[in-house]
Amino acid sequence: MSSAPVTALDAIVEELQQAGKLLVTTHENPDGDALGSLLAFDEMMRALGKDTIMFMSATNFPLPHEYQHLPLERVVHDPPPDMEERTAVFLDCGNIDRMPVDFLQREGQHILNIDHHHDNTRFGTVNLVVGDASCTAEILWELARELGVEITQSMAEALYIALITDTGRFMYDNTTARSHVMAAELIEAGVDVAGIYRQLYQDLPFPRLQLLARALASVRRYDNGRLTVSHLTRPDFGETGALESDAEGVVDHLRSVEGTAVAALIRDLVDRDARKVSLRATDGRVDVSVIARSLGGGGHRQAAGATTEMPFEQLIDHIRAGVSAQL
Ligand SMILES: [Mn+2]
């Protein structure tokens, strides 16, 4: 006899309550949601008395400037010797190859997959994929309540960083009344709103502004402005002293132009002959994750990305065709 169907949330709650040891991780090139979720989840598990560790490859460090103040001292960069006993928890990770680490991909690894990417490949043993959550942190916020964990100030700040970065400071389409209720609760739990804003959006290195200037100077528009593209080349990084991670966020400036349906930032990688494409949709009819997937990447309807070796001009044609096919 089968018992009443359990929701994915119930299943994850039960898994976490029963788990002995945990290892928590997130996707490579982590963003605010990845890091905030990692920190908040780690603290939630410790509040439950769990033996838990955070794992991220050393190649992700140093982090972008705005995340360097986060309390990530407990993050380990090597597989723990007792990994066989640990349940792996993936946060904000649409597919397992976004954390390309062999020891986490071994056969038989017990995996809990908690994420909000609608195209999540459900690679976990147990999956909690909530496509309409604004960020993974929003799922964790609900999970904390289910687990009876009280949100501390440090948890609230980690969750808040995740929330405001993934919603573009409450401006993207994924922003809901729930996101604002969550923000309100987190602020009541002690978030220093202005302090976090300063940390994330001010006090940034000058080379980042110089990189933005170059990106804006390179803007090209296609198909009557429907597609707006900037291109950052290796010299743009070399001559300004900007880091690759300083290009994050540049694409958001491109979608401010009237008539734009899709904004794209293409940046040449510094270490190999390939390009990273960041796509943003401003027209609700376009799902840029479809275009990203056609290039081997993925993401959300409104924000997606891929890394490709396709030559630049061919890549432009590919994106134009991908946009045209949807309009
Ligand atoms: Mn996210």
Side-chain angles (χ1 to χ4, degrees), residues 31-33 67 160-169 172 200-201:
D31 56 15
D33 189 23
Y67 301 130
Y160 190 77
I161 287 168
L163 176 64
I164 63 173
T165 52
D166 255 28
T167 59
R169 305 175 227 177
Y172 300 155
L200 293 178
Y201 303 110

Side-chain angles (χ1 to χ4, degrees), residues 65-246:
H65 187 271
E66 60 268 49
Y67 301 130
Q68 287 178 6
H69 301 296
L70 292 175
L72 290 159
E73 302 80 16
R74 296 184 59 256
V75 173
V76 301
H77 308 307
D78 296 304
D82 59 355
M83 190 57 211
E84 303 236 322
E85 302 163 35
R86 292 185 183 267
T87 292
V89 183
F90 282 70
L91 301 174
D92 200 44
C93 218
N95 67 71
I96 198 165
D97 292 321
R98 292 214 64 204
M99 176 41 80
V101 174
D102 290 344
F103 83 90
L104 288 171
Q105 300 193 5
R106 75 175 171 85
E107 197 73 20
Q109 175 64 53
H110 196 71
I111 292 177
L112 309 184
N113 169 16
I114 303 175
D115 183 35
H116 70 125
H117 292 88
H118 74 99
D119 60 353
N120 185 293
T121 56
R122 289 167 166 81
F123 56 85
T125 318
V126 182
N127 302 289
L128 175 57
V129 178
V130 185
D132 60 3
S134 67
C135 52
T136 296
E138 194 174 305
I139 308 171
L140 300 186
W141 170 59
E142 188 167 342
L143 198 55
R145 191 178 14 237
E146 293 292 318
L147 288 165
V149 174
E150 195 192 335
I151 304 281
T152 63
Q153 183 184 358
S154 52
M155 262 184 235
E157 295 207 333
L159 293 169
Y160 190 77
I161 287 168
L163 176 64
I164 63 173
T165 52
D166 255 28
T167 59
R169 305 175 227 177
F170 305 107
M171 285 190 289
Y172 300 155
D173 272 19
N174 60 355
T175 306
T176 61
R178 255 181 86 68
S179 320
H180 284 280
V181 170
M182 173 175 167
E185 276 191 22
L186 298 180
I187 292 167
E188 276 172 359
V191 170
D192 172 8
V193 173
I196 287 189
Y197 177 84
R198 260 196 310 280
Q199 185 184 318
L200 293 178
Y201 303 110
Q202 298 173 354
D203 293 334
L204 298 176
F206 184 49
R208 188 177 299 189
L209 191 67
Q210 293 174 297
L211 190 72
L212 173 62
R214 285 179 178 237
L216 296 179
S218 82
V219 170
R220 285 205 269 166
R221 305 185 76 205
Y222 298 90
D223 305 317
N224 297 319
R226 216 158 61 177
L227 174 64
T228 299
V229 181
S230 271
H231 184 203
L232 287 171
T233 61
R234 283 182 199 175
D236 290 327
F237 290 92
E239 291 164 15
T240 58
L243 305 173
E244 291 192 291
S245 61
D246 287 325

